[in-house]
Every structure is written in structure tokens, then in C-alpha cells.
Amino acid sequence: MTSAAPLDRVADFPAIPDGWAYLDTAATAQKPQGVIDAITRAYDTSYATVHRGVYQRSADMTVAYEKAREATARFIGAGSANEIVFTRGATEGINLVAQCWAATNLKAGDRILLSMLEHHSNIVPWQMVAERLGVAIDVLPLTVDHRIDLDAMERMLTPAHKLVSLGHVSNVLGSVLDGRRAADLAHGLGAKILLDGCQAVPRIMVDVKALDCDFYVFSGHKLYGPTGIGVLWARPELLEAMPPYQGGGSMIDRVSFEKTTYAPPPGRFEAGTPHIVG
């Protein structure tokens, strides 16, 4: 199996002119021509809604949309495409877990463990839940070489900790977390663990099974794709037990004014018309 040819800065990234050095990829990546062409093609010659049209183009677009879900599952080593929830980005993925898992599983007196180097998106959603439920948040320090201190994590974890949420790779320092050790420590005391993979997925091989985490999130725009699309992966038994937090089209099984039943995952978490082209 041969590897793909490396991308050329000028020829493949039209938004990076000759003479530029683009150093903001940790915030958002420029888009290669192949991505731009795919977006244009989807809007230009094949665009239609998904999951609800009965005409051929809609059926074709639905197949393509679900193939993207299958490709995403393979990309991160998920067991099934049904473990992949499409979101607007990693931020929405974390908020989804906060509202659909944490808000229904945590209670006053429980604790959440974060670290000093977390992105705001991996701090504020937990603060919102903690304030509402009476949950406490603890913060891991960093080592002298600017990594999340897992020795401190081993000392700080208690049975009261029900969730650990950590960045897989720091967006500021570039330090890489030993995700498997963090998962083992969390699981050793019965806690669930979420990994923020925004900076990891574009740069290192990610296998959620090998990491043994419970939730994993990342965004498309840091992965050379468009904005407005992201991924939440979760263990299937967790997704099955989580209620939806947004209501609308596509996420339902049956609707009546007396009672509505919800679609199985991942559909129940994807209310409304999705970012089809993304």
C-alpha cells in the first residue's frame, strides 16, 4: 500500500500564497484544493437533503452522508458507524456529553476532574453542569515539562470523581497526554473519561478502542475540513442510555401530541437538517 503524495503548500492550499508561513493551524487549518472541490461539487451537482427525501438524488446524498460516518468510524478505530454522532464541532460534542450524560448521571457531592491546560470548551460546559447540580470540579497540575500530571491524577482521584475530561494534545503547548494511562486511572475508580482530540486527530493516529476512553470529540476545521462539523464518539451503551437534549426533525421515531419516542443513536442526537456538505 503506497502512501498518498504529500500536499504542496502553494499548489494544494490556495489560501496560502507564496511567501506566506501559516502558523495558525492549531486554531483552524487552511483547506486543501481537494476539500474545496468536494464542497463545491456537493453544492453544485449533487446537493439534496438527507434522511427524508424519497427521490433519487436525496437517496444518493443520504448514502454519501452515511458513508462519511462510516469513514469517520474507521478513521478513529470505532467499532461501528452508529457510535459516531455528527455535531457542529468539538465544543458542541462536549456540551452534548455535559447535558445528556453528566446532567442525568451526576448528583450533588460528585466531582469532575479537569486539567490546567484545558481549552475553554472543556471547562465551561462542566462548570455550567456543576453549578446546576452541586458538583465540584478539581484541576490537575502540569509537570515541569508542561504535560498533564498523571501521577497527580493518581493521587487526586477518589470514588467521588465520576468524570474526567482531558485534552489529548494541548492546543497551546503541543504536549501529548498518555490517554490510555489516564483512562485506566479513571476506570480504576469507576469514573468515565472524555478526551478532547481536536489537536490529536489531525496529527497522530487515534484509536478509541486502544485508548479505552468513554467519549472522544474532535472538529472538522482543524482537520483541513470545513467549519460547522465535528464528531462525538461514545461507547454504544452510553449513547443508548443518554437522552437527547435537542428536539426536532430526524431525531424522532414517532411523534404525536401525546407522546414522542426518539430514534436510536446516533440519530436521536442529530436534530434538524444536518450540515450535509460538511
Side-chain angles (χ1 to χ4, degrees):
M1 183 175 180
T2 59
S3 60
L7 293 170
D8 178 84
R9 177 175 55 84
V10 176
D12 290 308
F13 290 89
I16 306 179
D18 194 19
W20 270 42
Y22 182 74
L23 302 178
D24 205 22
T25 301
T28 193
Q30 295 293 338
K31 316 310 171 194
Q33 189 64 53
V35 170
I36 297 168
D37 291 345
I39 292 170
T40 301
R41 187 167 58 251
Y43 277 127
D44 188 21
T45 60
S46 59
Y47 181 76
T49 192
V50 297
H51 298 143
R52 60 191 73 185
V54 296
Y55 53 100
Q56 188 61 50
R57 181 174 286 190
S58 176
D60 292 343
M61 186 62 97
T62 298
V63 169
Y65 185 87
E66 291 304 326
K67 282 186 176 179
R69 196 189 305 273
E70 293 169 5
T72 303
R74 291 193 300 272
F75 183 58
I76 61 169
S80 165
N82 290 334
E83 299 167 12
I84 301 296
V85 178
F86 286 135
T87 64
R88 290 181 300 158
T91 297
E92 186 176 63
I94 295 171
N95 276 274
L96 194 159
V97 176
Q99 298 302 319
C100 300
W101 185 85
T104 59
N105 284 276
L106 303 187
K107 62 185 187 304
D110 288 339
R111 309 186 78 87
I112 295 171
L113 186 62
L114 309 176
S115 85
M116 286 290 295
L117 56 62
E118 300 311 314
H119 190 280
H120 294 164
S121 296
N122 201 24
I123 299 173
V124 180
W126 309 118
Q127 289 177 329
M128 295 168 71
V129 168
E131 183 176 358
R132 188 163 81 243
L133 299 179
V135 170
I137 293 176
D138 297 310
V139 182
L140 288 170
L142 304 184
T143 62
V144 293
D145 59 348
H146 309 298
R147 299 176 186 273
I148 297 173
D149 192 336
L150 295 185
D151 291 336
M153 178 177 172
E154 189 168 12
R155 294 191 300 271
M156 290 173 64
L157 271 173
T158 71
H161 287 96
K162 304 302 181 185
L163 179 73
V164 177
S165 192
L166 302 173
H168 195 178
V169 173
S170 169
N171 67 307
V172 175
L173 302 172
S175 52
V176 181
L177 174 75
D178 183 344
R180 181 55 189 257
R181 184 185 175 202
D184 289 345
L185 290 172
H187 293 156
L189 285 171
K192 299 293 188 288
I193 184 168
L194 179 148
L195 296 180
D196 173 359
C198 281
Q199 304 297 334
V201 167
R203 297 171 181 87
I204 62 176
M205 294 291 292
V206 170
D207 184 330
V208 292
K209 287 184 180 179
L211 287 167
D212 200 30
C213 55
D214 300 291
F215 306 97
Y216 200 94
V217 299
F218 62 97
S219 57
H221 73 103
K222 299 180 194 298
L223 191 59
Y224 308 100
T227 57
I229 190 73
V231 168
L232 162 66
W233 170 85
R235 294 181 185 271
E237 64 272 17
L238 296 177
L239 288 178
E240 287 285 352
M242 287 161 52
Y245 82 121
Q246 293 181 329
S250 296
M251 52 74 69
I252 45 85
D253 177 26
R254 293 179 180 272
V255 177
S256 72
F257 284 106
E258 290 73 33
K259 182 178 177 60
T260 294
T261 56
Y262 305 123
R268 77 173 60 158
F269 304 110
E270 297 180 5
T273 302
H275 185 2
I276 298 165
V277 172

